[in-house]
Amino acid sequence: MKGFILSFRSEFYKTRKTAGFWSAVILPLLLCLLLFIGFYSHSDKLAGLPGIMLWIQFSGAILGVMGSLLLPMLIVFIAYSVNSVEHKADTWKTLFSLPISKLSVYSAKFFYALFLVLLCLALFVLFTIGFGNLLGVLKPQLKFSEYSMASTLTQLYFKLFLSSLGILSIQFLLSLLFRDFLKPMGIGFVATITGVILAANKWTYAYLFPYSHPMLALSILPHHGQAPASPGMPVITIDMFTKEILVSLIVAVTVFIAGYFIVLKKSVK
Amino acid sequence: MVIDTAGLTFNFGNQTVVKSLSLQVPEGSIYGFLGPNGAGKTTTIKLLLNLLQVQQGSINIFGKELKSNRLEILSQIGSLIEQPAIYLHLTGKENLLNRALLLQISEKRVDDMLNLVHLTDAAHKKAGQYSLGMKQRLGIALALLSDPKLLILDEPTNGLDPNGIIEIRELLIKLVKEHQKTVFISSHLLAEIERMATHVGIINHGELLFQGSIKELESMNKPLVQIETDNIADAANYLSRNNVTVSDVTEQHIYVPYTSKQQMGEINALLNQMGYVVYSINKQQQDLEKLFLAITQTA
């Protein structure tokens, strides 16, 4: 456990100045800021909408891209950057000749990638809520204050996080095994497009394909407001553990364990 | 023995890279592991660090079997394999601090190491901007950071200038003499090793061709009598006919194994009697480099 914590801290120390780390911070900030500017400049057109619709439009604009393309590609990039630090510096051999167990080194790296994805998604929630409320303050005619989206958004993004674990584990392993960017990137890109097509066409077995999961995870969105808890305050219910989430978790655990045995067997070049 | 391998064999596919290697590295030695490029040195070192899995044979380090005592053994080894593994986007000091974090070593020790390898002034410069020699020195600092009992260095003087080489040599000698470390150092240049090594192993095509102390290596190195005459070929033939062993004939010289001063005088007299003009005749110590070449080429 000590080895794991030390390795995890070292992962942060090594990557804190790299694009991989900062992309997880800057991407949500930038997207939310752009959206904020968009809403701010079009506030007249949006003035009449009820609070809940404003929130759905505001957060949905990001979630739409996130689920289909952005999140899988971000994961491809994060998984690559966490591993490329070692590929570039030729440091796998040093990592694996330290007096730290291979499981600690391997799992610390994996969980660090996982942490970056979680960080990025948490910042999306934070910035969406923050900028939404800021809009409500700066343009009082936008009735953001009418409705609180915080818990729904948190649940949605958490579901998105769970749905992304399958992709993360696969991309992580690919980036660990392949030195160059093109292979994991190419495979990730093609698989993501395939995933989007499968999910968009509502193929029956799309839930078995990890790269379809983020999009499937969000497909409850149109059914908002089914069960109003109180009049004028519709509630969006989110079914957290749908079958694609379960498949995603199973894939993540399986690939993670398989990856460990590959690392054990693999000769370090 | 600090390192003790028996029958160590390793194949890449169907190519045998290391053949039945039995290394014996005594405590407190500087063991020069010599061989031409591609002889299997780096593969052996990777086996010693458990980076490659042993296929056949055994490895014992500090008297313990490597695979079942991996972490305990690795905690007492500092290593530098091929080019130093350095994060180029971090500064030299950050590279050391990162390693110190992993090994739970104080920052004071990091500063000491920077000082030791003369990188204090460049500590806050990105390692990507370091020269080859500076990178190599940083790699050595990384290897020394945990104050290990055994240092395994793969061609550590690659890319260093003569001053740098001398510094590293003196540092290693000091570590062994004053701090009772053991150093296992590989090189393809005998000249670089012979001034510091106490023991030598020579490997080629994966096979250990010689192993022993540097004195044993030197004793294999027999002196020769070098003769320069007006007619090399005829003189050589004449000597052969008179039961003098001629070991080598070049365009300028005849070489005969040296046995005594007496023998040199006799050869001189013999040649003079037949009217050959002897321009020079002297005893020559073969340099170790030639011996090294001879050992690696005859195999």
Side-chain angles (χ1 to χ4, degrees):
Chain A
M1 197 58 199
K2 202 170 88 183
F4 174 82
I5 294 168
L6 292 174
S7 300
F8 192 90
R9 285 175 56 198
S10 163
E11 288 303 323
F12 173 71
Y13 190 83
K14 282 184 290 204
T15 54
R16 79 209 140 94
K17 288 182 186 171
T18 61
F21 175 74
W22 283 104
S23 66
V25 176
I26 289 176
L27 184 76
L29 180 66
L30 207 68
L31 276 182
C32 292
L33 192 67
L34 281 175
L35 209 64
F36 170 80
I37 295 167
F39 268 61
Y40 188 83
S41 55
H42 291 84
S43 57
D44 303 341
K45 286 182 200 159
L46 299 163
L49 289 173
I52 181 164
M53 287 314 290
L54 275 175
W55 275 111
I56 288 176
Q57 278 206 9
F58 191 62
S59 55
I62 301 175
L63 277 168
V65 219
M66 267 314 268
S68 51
L69 259 181
L70 207 54
L71 182 61
M73 289 329 279
L74 181 76
I75 289 172
V76 169
F77 184 66
I78 286 177
Y80 163 77
S81 73
V82 166
N83 285 298
S84 79
V85 172
E86 314 300 341
H87 286 312
K88 265 194 224 149
D90 213 357
T91 33
W92 287 113
K93 57 192 183 199
T94 5
L95 275 188
F96 287 118
S97 55
L98 290 173
I100 293 175
S101 74
K102 288 184 183 175
L103 179 63
S104 295
V105 173
Y106 167 74
S107 56
K109 224 174 211 342
F110 180 83
F111 280 97
Y112 184 67
L114 196 93
F115 160 76
L116 285 182
V117 176
L118 189 66
L119 174 74
C120 178
L121 294 179
L123 287 176
F124 263 115
V125 176
L126 204 71
F127 289 139
T128 308
I129 294 169
F131 279 119
N133 285 313
L134 187 64
L135 271 173
V137 172
L138 293 178
K139 296 264 176 185
Q141 68 269 36
L142 297 179
K143 300 187 189 75
F144 274 98
S145 55
E146 258 182 15
Y147 185 79
S148 167
M149 189 79 178
S151 110
T152 314
L153 262 190
T154 310
Q155 286 182 57
L156 257 183
Y157 272 100
F158 188 65
K159 190 177 181 189
L160 208 50
F161 171 67
L162 294 179
S163 75
S164 69
L165 294 183
I167 307 179
L168 181 65
S169 65
I170 295 170
Q171 286 302 138
F172 182 83
L173 188 59
L174 288 175
S175 300
L176 185 93
L177 295 178
F178 297 119
R179 205 188 167 85
D180 63 325
F181 183 51
L182 282 176
K183 281 180 198 135
M185 175 73 193
I187 295 170
F189 191 71
V190 171
T192 302
I193 301 294
T194 314
V196 169
I197 293 171
L198 293 182
N201 289 316
K202 305 210 170 7
W203 185 53
T204 327
Y205 299 108
Y207 72 92
L208 291 174
F209 188 61
Y211 293 81
S212 296
H213 292 162
M215 202 160 168
L216 289 173
L218 293 175
S219 56
I220 41 88
L221 258 190
H223 310 291
H224 55 82
Q226 302 152 323
S230 59
M233 261 302 220
V235 169
I236 301 166
T237 49
I238 292 158
D239 185 8
M240 190 62 78
F241 290 99
T242 46
K243 56 186 175 186
E244 71 272 5
I245 299 296
L246 294 179
V247 173
S248 167
L249 291 176
I250 293 169
V251 169
V253 172
T254 316
V255 177
F256 175 76
I257 294 172
Y260 174 61
F261 285 102
I262 293 174
V263 166
L264 271 193
K265 285 263 163 188
K266 199 182 170 233
S267 295
V268 182
K269 297 263 157 58
Chain B
M1 289 293 152
V2 170
I3 299 175
D4 189 354
T5 75
L8 194 60
T9 301
F10 190 84
N11 305 298
F12 273 124
N14 50 17
Q15 188 198 357
T16 307
V17 190
V18 173
K19 274 181 218 158
S20 192
L21 205 62
S22 295
L23 292 173
Q24 310 276 321
V25 180
E27 194 173 350
S29 64
I30 298 183
Y31 186 102
F33 190 45
L34 289 162
N37 291 329
K41 298 189 298 284
T42 301
T43 306
T44 306
I45 285 176
K46 286 185 172 173
L47 284 164
L48 292 177
L49 291 168
N50 196 238
L51 290 171
L52 296 174
Q53 302 299 320
V54 174
Q55 293 167 341
Q56 268 178 57
S58 65
I59 300 177
N60 282 287
I61 297 180
F62 306 120
K64 286 179 180 150
E65 202 276 320
L66 175 63
K67 205 175 175 191
S68 46
N69 298 285
R70 180 175 171 266
L71 295 185
E72 191 196 336
I73 290 171
L74 287 180
S75 68
Q76 297 169 30
I77 299 181
S79 61
L80 170 69
I81 315 156
E82 293 173 313
Q83 311 83 21
I86 289 167
Y87 299 106
L88 301 179
H89 66 285
L90 299 178
T91 68
K93 187 170 180 180
E94 282 170 339
N95 267 288
L96 283 160
L97 283 174
N98 176 55
R99 183 72 63 86
L101 171 78
L102 283 166
L103 301 171
Q104 296 180 286
I105 290 163
S106 70
E107 192 178 340
K108 163 100 181 31
R109 175 89 188 154
V110 167
D111 292 330
D112 291 347
M113 287 301 107
L114 282 168
N115 200 13
L116 184 74
V117 296
H118 307 297
L119 283 177
T120 309
D121 291 336
H124 299 288
K125 202 166 143 185
K126 285 247 166 76
Q129 295 163 4
Y130 277 17
S131 68
L132 193 56
M134 288 163 91
K135 284 181 189 161
Q136 206 74 21
R137 296 208 308 263
L138 182 59
I140 289 168
L142 283 165
L144 288 171
L145 188 63
S146 65
D147 195 21
K149 278 205 263 176
L150 169 63
L151 269 175
I152 297 184
L153 307 172
D154 190 11
E155 315 239 345
T157 48
N158 256 357
L160 292 185
D161 53 24
N163 265 331
I165 295 176
I166 292 166
E167 261 174 33
I168 297 296
R169 185 189 299 149
E170 280 167 2
L171 173 67
L172 293 178
I173 292 173
K174 193 174 141 198
L175 282 171
V176 169
K177 279 205 177 130
E178 294 174 18
H179 303 277
Q180 289 78 45
K181 310 283 181 200
T182 305
V183 178
F184 182 87
I185 178 171
S186 85
S187 178
H188 57 275
L189 298 170
L190 177 66
E192 195 181 277
I193 296 291
E194 63 171 297
R195 285 192 218 159
M196 60 174 156
T198 56
H199 293 74
V200 178
I202 297 177
I203 183 177
N204 197 15
H205 303 301
E207 278 178 288
L208 199 60
L209 303 174
F210 171 85
Q211 178 170 248
S213 69
I214 197 97
K215 286 208 179 69
E216 285 173 85
L217 182 67
E218 274 162 359
S219 72
M220 282 178 70
N221 185 12
K222 304 226 167 54
L224 293 174
V225 181
Q226 176 189 291
I227 305 151
E228 188 180 8
T229 72
D230 57 348
N231 191 338
I232 302 277
D234 289 355
N237 281 331
Y238 177 71
L239 286 174
S240 294
R241 281 200 299 275
N242 286 277
N243 298 324
V244 177
T245 328
V246 174
S247 60
D248 197 10
V249 182
T250 65
E251 273 182 33
Q252 278 92 32
H253 300 108
I254 304 168
Y255 293 93
V256 173
Y258 172 87
T259 47
S260 62
K261 282 183 184 170
Q262 193 64 40
Q263 170 221 26
M264 275 172 67
E266 285 165 14
I267 292 172
N268 192 15
L270 205 59
L271 291 172
N272 281 325
Q273 276 167 24
M274 278 309 290
Y276 295 109
V277 184
V278 177
Y279 301 136
S280 75
I281 179 163
N282 52 31
K283 177 184 165 189
Q284 264 214 339
Q285 196 73 36
Q286 206 180 153
D287 61 9
L288 285 176
E289 203 67 54
K290 270 201 183 133
L291 181 67
F292 171 58
L293 282 175
I295 292 173
T296 52
Q297 277 165 1
T298 50

